[in-house]
């Protein structure tokens, strides 16, 4: 395999969709092509429709079946398969008939601890494990004795940047309001009811307070019913038309972040947490649960939301339950102290620049280049990244 002819197949969400993983795939494919690589993508959310991307895109339609990925491997003949998702998404790769025909880089998160024992055989089959956070790196090392490569996700600091906040609020139809917002999927792990409950307490005596939810209105929770239950339906705004595989262009999402005064993610656990970094890149302070990857992504300790307790969830992961009282207190503090809020936003903006996409893209290009060389221990790859 030479640097000029090594072929890379990235399998995750399709680069044709505007989900977080879809956006990551677009970044990585562009970086690999710029480095002279032949690339293709095999993605969830792609249905075979025409697209303008300058490389092949193959359809994936099941988390449990290798058939579609096998077709992509057969047709594209990659030297390297790069999978991006939770380990269970690609649990079948070790059993694929073509497994010995490619080197496998698994880029994966953990949103709780510990690393499950039944995932250890999966990890042993991975040639190069790469993780999204120090939290995941430590969990894997503690459970297996194998230290994966750490490469954070990135943020497009040209698209996600501070803009005129008044103009952003006008575009988001929240002019003249103090906006508490969240960008997240409507799923159990994001714990959106904790935010709605906290906002209802905070906003009880504040006619200028608005809650902006950029998420699917109906998912794990029916948000219409949820905000009505807490009596804040008149103070809540949502982005209409979102789906699990359908987001919005980066420019519009950046406007949403800029319309917020405070971003709040009461998550039970994150493998990374792109919205945390994106909001800060826009100069909007983020508050997030002090657990999993979140503390690594926050510019200041005051942004960490206190953990009330932990629960054992799916895959036996221990995950966090945020203290809603701490959410209320911190939102109230920044509502009363706009100068400190503005200064924190400036620090957050500077902090987020260290996650510019140019950095992880370069790390991945270097990692791929290291696979062109004669085999070397994984410890060497860790040090070089």
């Amino acid at each position: 395999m030479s640097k000029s002819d090594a072929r890379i197949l990235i399998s995750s969400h399709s680069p044709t969709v505007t989900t977080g993983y879809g956006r990551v795939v677009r970044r990585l494919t562009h970086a690999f092509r710029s480095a002279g690589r032949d690339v293709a993508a095999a993605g969830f959310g792609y249905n075979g429709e025409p697209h303008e991307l300058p490389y092949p895109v193959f359809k994936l339609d099941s988390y449990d079946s290798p058939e579609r990925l096998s077709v992509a491997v057969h047709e594209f003949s990659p030297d390297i398969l790069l999978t991006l998702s939770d380990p269970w998404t690609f649990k079948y790769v070790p059993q694929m008939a073509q497994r010995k025909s490619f080197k496998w880089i698994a880029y994966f998160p953990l949103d709780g601890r510990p690393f499950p024992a039944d995932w250890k055989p999966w990890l042993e089959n991975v040639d190069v494990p790469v993780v999204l956070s120090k939290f995941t790196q430590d969990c894997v090392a503690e459970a297996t004795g194998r230290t994966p490569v750490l490469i954070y996700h990135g943020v497009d600091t040209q698209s996600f940047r501070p803009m005129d906040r008044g103009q952003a609020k006008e575009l988001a139809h929240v002019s003249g309001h103090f906006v508490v917002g969240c960008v997240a999927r409507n799923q159990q792990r994001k714990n959106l009811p904790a935010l709605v409950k906290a906002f209802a307490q905070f906003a009880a005596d504040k006619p200028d307070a608005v809650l902006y939810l950029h998420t699917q209105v109906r998912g794990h929770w029916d948000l219409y019913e949820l905000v009505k239950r807490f009596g804040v339906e008149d103070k809540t705004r949502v982005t209409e038309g979102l789906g699990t595989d359908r987001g919005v262009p980066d420019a519009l999402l950046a406007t949403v972040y800029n319309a917020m005064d405070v971003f709040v993610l009461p998550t039970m656990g994150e493998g990374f947490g792109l919205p945390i970094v994106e909001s800060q890149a826009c100069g909007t302070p983020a508050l997030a649960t002090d657990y999993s990857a979140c503390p690594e992504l926050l510019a200041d300790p005051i942004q960490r939301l206190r953990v009330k307790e932990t629960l054992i969830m799916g895959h036996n992961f221990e995950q966090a339950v945020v203290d809603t009282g701490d959410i209320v207190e911190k939102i109230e503090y920044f509502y009363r102290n706009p100068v400190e809020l503005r200064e924190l936003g400036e620090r957050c903006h500077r902090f987020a620049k260290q996650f510019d996409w140019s950095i992880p893209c370069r790390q991945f290009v270097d990692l791929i280049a290291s696979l062109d060389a004669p085999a070397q221990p994984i410890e060497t790859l860790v040090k070089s990244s």
Side-chain angles (χ1 to χ4, degrees), residues 2 28-29 61 140 198 225 234 241 258 299 308 339 356 360 383:
S2 69
L28 293 180
T29 51
D61 57 6
V140 173
E225 179 182 327
D234 293 338
N258 273 278
K308 185 176 182 180
V339 174
D356 185 84
K383 292 176 181 177

Side-chain angles (χ1 to χ4, degrees), residues 291-356:
Y291 189 73
S292 60
C294 299
E296 302 172 49
L297 309 181
L298 298 171
D300 193 291
I302 197 173
Q303 298 172 254
R304 302 176 184 179
L305 296 171
R306 187 166 56 241
V307 174
K308 185 176 182 180
E309 60 180 323
T310 60
L311 296 175
I312 307 301
M313 305 297 288
H315 301 291
N316 289 330
F317 282 147
E318 183 177 16
Q319 295 184 318
V321 178
V322 72
D323 186 337
T324 56
D326 195 40
I327 300 177
V328 176
E329 290 176 8
K330 286 179 176 173
I331 297 175
E332 180 74 31
Y333 176 81
F334 288 120
Y335 177 81
R336 301 291 180 189
N337 295 275
V339 174
E340 291 192 32
L341 179 63
R342 184 180 67 253
E343 292 175 348
L344 177 59
E346 293 170 354
R347 293 200 300 277
C348 288
H349 174 62
R350 292 193 296 271
F351 175 82
K353 288 183 177 180
Q354 68 182 301
F355 293 95
D356 185 84

Side-chain angles (χ1 to χ4, degrees), residues 12-13 19-26 84-86 109 132 153 274:
S12 182
H13 288 191
T19 63
Y21 278 163
R23 290 153 61 205
V24 172
V25 171
R26 287 200 301 276
L84 167 59
S85 192
D86 302 275
L132 287 66
H153 277 342
L274 273 173

Side-chain angles (χ1 to χ4, degrees), residues 34 39 43 46 64 70 130 169 171 179 237 261 264 286 295 297 308 315 322 330 342 346 360 363 376-377 379 384:
S34 296
V39 299
Y46 177 64
D64 300 316
S70 293
V130 184
K169 287 177 182 285
L171 291 171
V179 182
R237 308 289 185 272
D261 292 282
V264 182
L297 309 181
K308 185 176 182 180
H315 301 291
V322 72
K330 286 179 176 173
R342 184 180 67 253
E346 293 170 354
Q363 291 174 316
Q376 54 183 308
E379 289 78 10
S384 68

Side-chain angles (χ1 to χ4, degrees), residues 50-113:
H51 63 83
E52 298 181 353
L53 295 172
Y55 49 83
V57 179
F58 299 91
K59 177 182 178 181
L60 293 183
D61 57 6
S62 174
Y63 291 120
D64 300 316
S65 174
E67 283 80 11
R68 290 285 186 179
L69 185 56
S70 293
V71 169
V73 170
H74 174 74
E75 295 189 10
F76 187 68
S77 299
D79 301 292
I80 295 170
L81 173 67
L82 169 58
T83 58
L84 167 59
S85 192
D86 302 275
W88 57 265
T89 306
F90 293 103
K91 62 184 179 183
Y92 54 74
V93 172
Q95 286 75 49
M96 290 178 62
Q98 306 118 311
R99 172 62 189 93
K100 293 183 178 180
S101 69
F102 54 78
K103 292 184 178 180
W104 180 18
I105 300 175
Y107 189 25
F108 65 93
L110 289 181
D111 47 41
R113 65 172 66 224

Side-chain angles (χ1 to χ4, degrees), residues 55 91 110 128 196 217 221 238 324 350 359 370:
Y55 49 83
K91 62 184 179 183
L110 289 181
V128 184
V196 177
V217 173
W221 295 281
V238 299
T324 56
R350 292 193 296 271
I359 299 170
S370 72

